Amino acid sequence: MNVPLLQVRNLTHSFLEGEEKVHALRGVSFNANQGEITSIIGPSGCGKSTLMYLLGLLDQPDSGEIIINNNSISKLNEIQKTQLRNEKIGFIFQFHFLIKELSARENVALPAIKKGEDSEDALERADQILNQLGLSEKLDRFANKLSGGEQQRVAIARALINSPSLILADEPTGNLDTANSEIVFDLLQRLSREQNLAVLLVTHNNQLARRCDRFISMNDGLIVD
Ligand SMILES: Nc1ncnc2c1ncn2[C@@H]1O[C@H](COP(=O)(O)OP(=O)(O)OP(=O)(O)O)[C@@H](O)[C@H]1O
Ligand SMILES: [Mg+2]
């Protein structure tokens, strides 16, 4: 059954560069379903990160509509948006932005602690997620003492701690070798199926992109066939 967790309708967005207007998105529409990975590919500058940024509710589109879990975002105020972002959306980036002075488990627990969860409980849950991602031996390791692939898995664990229904991953395998890219990709695929998450994956890796349930190709701010 294809249940759309995310519906994007005619999204446009532009930036002002001095006098010039850069049309980063020119009318993008698609759905992303629960339990599926949707990949987004396209050349540098075609608008992929702009799209992820808008879907993460970090900026307002010029026009168009974003519907998450049947909520039209334009109808929400800033507080409701922040709440939706914290509760429903997990972010994974190419450069994972782990805090290097914190251990793996502390990095993962942080978003739950920020949300007000008791820190012991949050750390315990962080351990469980890290165990599932094959990092049980590295719980107390400082983030900067982990390999690139391990750090990316910690970033995935951190994105999962608040049980999101949508994962936005902007080139999460961009700085990983083939073996680690496979591990991270397999993990996202498994999570989408087992936890019924909608995953949106921006990647420059065509082979990975074609293994996803859905495949969106962008060019110059538009979806192309
Ligand atoms: N903050 C900004 N101010 C002005 N222009 C911007 C800004 N962010 C992005 N752009 C422009 O918008 C367009 C889309 O950029 P975007 O970052 O979405 O591309 P991308 O598809 O993610 O590229 P890449 O594959 O290199 O990450 C580009 O022309 C870019 O220069
Ligand atoms: Mg980008």
PDB file of all heavy atoms in Angstrom, residues 15 17 22 24 43-50 171 204, ligand 1:
ATOM      1  N   PHE A  15      16.494  32.632  -4.877  1.00  0.00           N
ATOM      2  CA  PHE A  15      17.418  33.393  -4.025  1.00  0.00           C
ATOM      3  C   PHE A  15      17.779  34.673  -4.746  1.00  0.00           C
ATOM      4  O   PHE A  15      17.887  34.692  -5.971  1.00  0.00           O
ATOM      5  CB  PHE A  15      18.711  32.600  -3.803  1.00  0.00           C
ATOM      6  CG  PHE A  15      18.532  31.311  -3.073  1.00  0.00           C
ATOM      7  CD1 PHE A  15      18.512  30.106  -3.766  1.00  0.00           C
ATOM      8  CD2 PHE A  15      18.386  31.282  -1.698  1.00  0.00           C
ATOM      9  CE1 PHE A  15      18.364  28.906  -3.091  1.00  0.00           C
ATOM     10  CE2 PHE A  15      18.238  30.090  -1.021  1.00  0.00           C
ATOM     11  CZ  PHE A  15      18.226  28.894  -1.716  1.00  0.00           C
ATOM     12  N   GLU A  17      20.683  37.071  -5.611  1.00  0.00           N
ATOM     13  CA  GLU A  17      22.132  37.162  -5.643  1.00  0.00           C
ATOM     14  C   GLU A  17      22.477  38.545  -6.174  1.00  0.00           C
ATOM     15  O   GLU A  17      22.582  38.730  -7.390  1.00  0.00           O
ATOM     16  CB  GLU A  17      22.705  36.070  -6.567  1.00  0.00           C
ATOM     17  CG  GLU A  17      23.032  34.767  -5.890  1.00  0.00           C
ATOM     18  CD  GLU A  17      24.297  34.859  -5.046  1.00  0.00           C
ATOM     19  OE1 GLU A  17      25.396  34.809  -5.608  1.00  0.00           O
ATOM     20  OE2 GLU A  17      24.146  34.995  -3.821  1.00  0.00           O
ATOM     21  N   VAL A  22      18.051  33.961  -8.561  1.00  0.00           N
ATOM     22  CA  VAL A  22      18.385  32.583  -8.933  1.00  0.00           C
ATOM     23  C   VAL A  22      17.169  31.710  -8.643  1.00  0.00           C
ATOM     24  O   VAL A  22      16.743  31.597  -7.500  1.00  0.00           O
ATOM     25  CB  VAL A  22      19.595  32.067  -8.109  1.00  0.00           C
ATOM     26  CG1 VAL A  22      19.929  30.624  -8.487  1.00  0.00           C
ATOM     27  CG2 VAL A  22      20.797  32.964  -8.289  1.00  0.00           C
ATOM     28  N   ALA A  24      15.998  28.544  -7.912  1.00  0.00           N
ATOM     29  CA  ALA A  24      16.536  27.242  -7.508  1.00  0.00           C
ATOM     30  C   ALA A  24      15.515  26.119  -7.700  1.00  0.00           C
ATOM     31  O   ALA A  24      15.869  25.015  -8.091  1.00  0.00           O
ATOM     32  CB  ALA A  24      16.991  27.291  -6.053  1.00  0.00           C
ATOM     33  N   PRO A  43      22.440  17.144 -11.374  1.00  0.00           N
ATOM     34  CA  PRO A  43      23.741  17.813 -11.351  1.00  0.00           C
ATOM     35  C   PRO A  43      23.843  18.859 -10.237  1.00  0.00           C
ATOM     36  O   PRO A  43      22.825  19.315  -9.706  1.00  0.00           O
ATOM     37  CB  PRO A  43      23.832  18.475 -12.733  1.00  0.00           C
ATOM     38  CG  PRO A  43      22.446  18.526 -13.250  1.00  0.00           C
ATOM     39  CD  PRO A  43      21.691  17.400 -12.607  1.00  0.00           C
ATOM     40  N   SER A  44      25.068  19.207  -9.917  1.00  0.00           N
ATOM     41  CA  SER A  44      25.332  20.217  -8.899  1.00  0.00           C
ATOM     42  C   SER A  44      24.590  21.506  -9.245  1.00  0.00           C
ATOM     43  O   SER A  44      24.613  21.951 -10.386  1.00  0.00           O
ATOM     44  CB  SER A  44      26.843  20.459  -8.840  1.00  0.00           C
ATOM     45  OG  SER A  44      27.125  21.388  -7.839  1.00  0.00           O
ATOM     46  N   GLY A  45      23.915  22.077  -8.266  1.00  0.00           N
ATOM     47  CA  GLY A  45      23.227  23.346  -8.462  1.00  0.00           C
ATOM     48  C   GLY A  45      21.803  23.211  -8.975  1.00  0.00           C
ATOM     49  O   GLY A  45      21.128  24.217  -9.184  1.00  0.00           O
ATOM     50  N   CYS A  46      21.305  21.976  -9.136  1.00  0.00           N
ATOM     51  CA  CYS A  46      19.953  21.811  -9.720  1.00  0.00           C
ATOM     52  C   CYS A  46      18.847  22.033  -8.692  1.00  0.00           C
ATOM     53  O   CYS A  46      17.675  22.053  -9.045  1.00  0.00           O
ATOM     54  CB  CYS A  46      19.807  20.449 -10.391  1.00  0.00           C
ATOM     55  SG  CYS A  46      19.656  19.079  -9.246  1.00  0.00           S
ATOM     56  N   GLY A  47      19.201  22.167  -7.396  1.00  0.00           N
ATOM     57  CA  GLY A  47      18.181  22.515  -6.408  1.00  0.00           C
ATOM     58  C   GLY A  47      17.891  21.448  -5.362  1.00  0.00           C
ATOM     59  O   GLY A  47      16.968  21.599  -4.563  1.00  0.00           O
ATOM     60  N   LYS A  48      18.700  20.404  -5.319  1.00  0.00           N
ATOM     61  CA  LYS A  48      18.423  19.277  -4.407  1.00  0.00           C
ATOM     62  C   LYS A  48      18.462  19.714  -2.941  1.00  0.00           C
ATOM     63  O   LYS A  48      17.550  19.413  -2.165  1.00  0.00           O
ATOM     64  CB  LYS A  48      19.442  18.136  -4.647  1.00  0.00           C
ATOM     65  CG  LYS A  48      19.495  17.660  -6.091  1.00  0.00           C
ATOM     66  CD  LYS A  48      20.502  16.542  -6.284  1.00  0.00           C
ATOM     67  CE  LYS A  48      21.959  16.919  -5.997  1.00  0.00           C
ATOM     68  NZ  LYS A  48      22.527  17.931  -6.913  1.00  0.00           N
ATOM     69  N   SER A  49      19.533  20.405  -2.559  1.00  0.00           N
ATOM     70  CA  SER A  49      19.651  20.808  -1.147  1.00  0.00           C
ATOM     71  C   SER A  49      18.609  21.870  -0.790  1.00  0.00           C
ATOM     72  O   SER A  49      18.083  21.876   0.328  1.00  0.00           O
ATOM     73  CB  SER A  49      21.054  21.342  -0.845  1.00  0.00           C
ATOM     74  OG  SER A  49      21.999  20.302  -0.950  1.00  0.00           O
ATOM     75  N   THR A  50      18.305  22.742  -1.737  1.00  0.00           N
ATOM     76  CA  THR A  50      17.252  23.742  -1.507  1.00  0.00           C
ATOM     77  C   THR A  50      15.939  23.034  -1.189  1.00  0.00           C
ATOM     78  O   THR A  50      15.226  23.399  -0.247  1.00  0.00           O
ATOM     79  CB  THR A  50      17.076  24.633  -2.760  1.00  0.00           C
ATOM     80  OG1 THR A  50      18.339  25.211  -3.081  1.00  0.00           O
ATOM     81  CG2 THR A  50      16.050  25.717  -2.538  1.00  0.00           C
ATOM     82  N   GLU A 171      23.015  13.586   0.632  1.00  0.00           N
ATOM     83  CA  GLU A 171      24.307  12.972   0.326  1.00  0.00           C
ATOM     84  C   GLU A 171      24.987  12.359   1.547  1.00  0.00           C
ATOM     85  O   GLU A 171      26.137  12.677   1.850  1.00  0.00           O
ATOM     86  CB  GLU A 171      25.243  13.998  -0.310  1.00  0.00           C
ATOM     87  CG  GLU A 171      24.735  14.456  -1.655  1.00  0.00           C
ATOM     88  CD  GLU A 171      25.791  15.234  -2.416  1.00  0.00           C
ATOM     89  OE1 GLU A 171      26.889  14.680  -2.589  1.00  0.00           O
ATOM     90  OE2 GLU A 171      25.521  16.372  -2.791  1.00  0.00           O
ATOM     91  N   HIS A 204      24.748  11.402  -5.387  1.00  0.00           N
ATOM     92  CA  HIS A 204      25.377  11.495  -6.708  1.00  0.00           C
ATOM     93  C   HIS A 204      25.696  10.108  -7.248  1.00  0.00           C
ATOM     94  O   HIS A 204      26.236   9.974  -8.333  1.00  0.00           O
ATOM     95  CB  HIS A 204      26.658  12.342  -6.631  1.00  0.00           C
ATOM     96  CG  HIS A 204      26.409  13.807  -6.694  1.00  0.00           C
ATOM     97  ND1 HIS A 204      26.625  14.646  -5.640  1.00  0.00           N
ATOM     98  CD2 HIS A 204      25.906  14.578  -7.693  1.00  0.00           C
ATOM     99  CE1 HIS A 204      26.287  15.880  -5.997  1.00  0.00           C
ATOM    100  NE2 HIS A 204      25.848  15.860  -7.232  1.00  0.00           N
TER     101      HIS A 204
HETATM  102  N1  LIG B   1      21.796  30.759   0.088  1.00  0.00           N
HETATM  103  C1  LIG B   1      21.853  30.901  -1.240  1.00  0.00           C
HETATM  104  N2  LIG B   1      21.939  32.116  -1.815  1.00  0.00           N
HETATM  105  C2  LIG B   1      21.964  32.275  -3.164  1.00  0.00           C
HETATM  106  N3  LIG B   1      21.898  31.242  -4.035  1.00  0.00           N
HETATM  107  C3  LIG B   1      21.817  30.010  -3.516  1.00  0.00           C
HETATM  108  C4  LIG B   1      21.795  29.765  -2.103  1.00  0.00           C
HETATM  109  N4  LIG B   1      21.706  28.424  -1.893  1.00  0.00           N
HETATM  110  C5  LIG B   1      21.684  27.870  -3.128  1.00  0.00           C
HETATM  111  N5  LIG B   1      21.742  28.801  -4.098  1.00  0.00           N
HETATM  112  C6  LIG B   1      21.701  28.576  -5.555  1.00  0.00           C
HETATM  113  O1  LIG B   1      20.531  27.808  -5.820  1.00  0.00           O
HETATM  114  C7  LIG B   1      20.795  26.815  -6.795  1.00  0.00           C
HETATM  115  C8  LIG B   1      20.504  25.433  -6.197  1.00  0.00           C
HETATM  116  O2  LIG B   1      21.446  25.135  -5.175  1.00  0.00           O
HETATM  117  P1  LIG B   1      21.409  23.776  -4.329  1.00  0.00           P
HETATM  118  O3  LIG B   1      22.352  23.933  -3.201  1.00  0.00           O
HETATM  119  O4  LIG B   1      20.001  23.467  -4.004  1.00  0.00           O
HETATM  120  O5  LIG B   1      21.973  22.727  -5.400  1.00  0.00           O
HETATM  121  P2  LIG B   1      22.283  21.159  -5.239  1.00  0.00           P
HETATM  122  O6  LIG B   1      21.473  20.465  -6.264  1.00  0.00           O
HETATM  123  O7  LIG B   1      22.112  20.760  -3.833  1.00  0.00           O
HETATM  124  O8  LIG B   1      23.827  21.073  -5.656  1.00  0.00           O
HETATM  125  P3  LIG B   1      25.007  20.103  -5.115  1.00  0.00           P
HETATM  126  O9  LIG B   1      24.818  18.794  -5.817  1.00  0.00           O
HETATM  127  O10 LIG B   1      26.250  20.809  -5.540  1.00  0.00           O
HETATM  128  O11 LIG B   1      24.889  19.989  -3.622  1.00  0.00           O
HETATM  129  C9  LIG B   1      22.237  27.023  -7.212  1.00  0.00           C
HETATM  130  O12 LIG B   1      22.249  27.841  -8.362  1.00  0.00           O
HETATM  131  C10 LIG B   1      22.851  27.741  -6.039  1.00  0.00           C
HETATM  132  O13 LIG B   1      23.935  28.531  -6.439  1.00  0.00           O
END
